[in-house]
Amino acid sequence: MSSDEASISLLIVDDHPVVRDGLRGMFESAPGFRVLGEAADGLEAVEKAAALDPDVILMDLRMPGGGGVDAIAELTRRGARAKVLVLTTYDTDTDTLPAIEAGATGYLLKDAPRDDLFTAVRAAAEGRTVLSPAVASRLVSAVRTPKAAGNQPLSAREREVLALVAKGTSNREIARELFISEATVKTHLTHLYAKLGVKDRAAAVATAYQRGILG
């Protein structure tokens, strides 16, 4: 496998040229990443994603000419292969929840340390949820859970699985760490999703922070 094939390809979406230049320089100077292109708004992002087929899209949210949430929703509708990692200055409930609901794999703030951003992109490329605790804590206030799911405590094993999910750990890594099969991990996830009244990893982590299951 060549170095290009082994690297993670990126599309950078932000309406500020200085931000795009900074991100491009940062990723191009680090091993394991390739920047395929840039877009200045959500509409251009959807077009570039179709043309370039990146592994990960770094998506700003508030952009004139087409916002990030609409772009994420359109990429999801089209079944785009790319994982979307939101990278924004905004962590309000009105920004976080719509982005996650639209299909974003993760949500980071622009003040995240360089190494955290690299780690998040690698995790997103593997389809793992990336939510910083600060973002998750803002997200949870708008998470709605069915009443029937409210009084079902998680088992000790389900808590262990959930804690690893919150760290961005893949099913395979969880299985290895807990000495169980991947099928068993998926079963635990199904059960804890039902108990928390959620449908995916991001919402499970957010709800767990809300309920104090994760601290």
Side-chain angles (χ1 to χ4, degrees), residues 8-13 27 33-34 36-37 53-59 81-86 105 120-127:
I8 296 169
S9 58
L10 293 163
L11 172 64
I12 297 170
V13 185
F27 279 100
F33 301 103
R34 283 182 299 142
L36 300 183
D53 189 32
D55 296 319
V56 176
I57 300 172
L58 286 178
M59 182 77 75
R81 184 182 68 85
K83 304 299 183 183
V84 178
L85 179 61
V86 171
T105 299
V121 169
R122 293 187 191 102
E126 296 175 8

Side-chain angles (χ1 to χ4, degrees), residues 9 15 21 74 111 134 201 204:
S9 58
D15 60 316
D21 288 347
E74 179 61 17
D111 61 2
R201 295 165 82 98

Side-chain angles (χ1 to χ4, degrees), residues 9-127:
S9 58
L10 293 163
L11 172 64
I12 297 170
V13 185
D14 197 290
D15 60 316
H16 294 103
V18 172
V19 173
R20 296 199 304 271
D21 288 347
L23 288 169
R24 176 185 281 275
M26 188 170 68
F27 279 100
E28 289 184 340
S29 68
F33 301 103
R34 283 182 299 142
V35 179
L36 300 183
E38 302 173 10
D41 59 48
L43 295 176
E44 187 182 4
V46 172
E47 293 174 2
K48 289 283 182 72
L52 300 174
D53 189 32
D55 296 319
V56 176
I57 300 172
L58 286 178
M59 182 77 75
D60 192 16
L61 287 186
R62 300 186 189 179
M63 298 173 286
V69 172
D70 288 342
I72 296 166
E74 179 61 17
L75 289 165
T76 300
R77 189 187 70 79
R78 294 186 179 197
R81 184 182 68 85
K83 304 299 183 183
V84 178
L85 179 61
V86 171
L87 187 62
T88 182
T89 53
Y90 304 102
D91 66 347
T92 63
D93 299 337
T94 54
D95 290 298
T96 51
L97 188 63
I100 297 298
E101 288 183 333
T105 299
Y107 198 114
L108 285 183
L109 299 181
K110 286 180 179 175
D111 61 2
R114 172 190 174 110
D115 288 346
D116 286 2
L117 182 54
F118 290 161
T119 299
V121 169
R122 293 187 191 102
E126 296 175 8

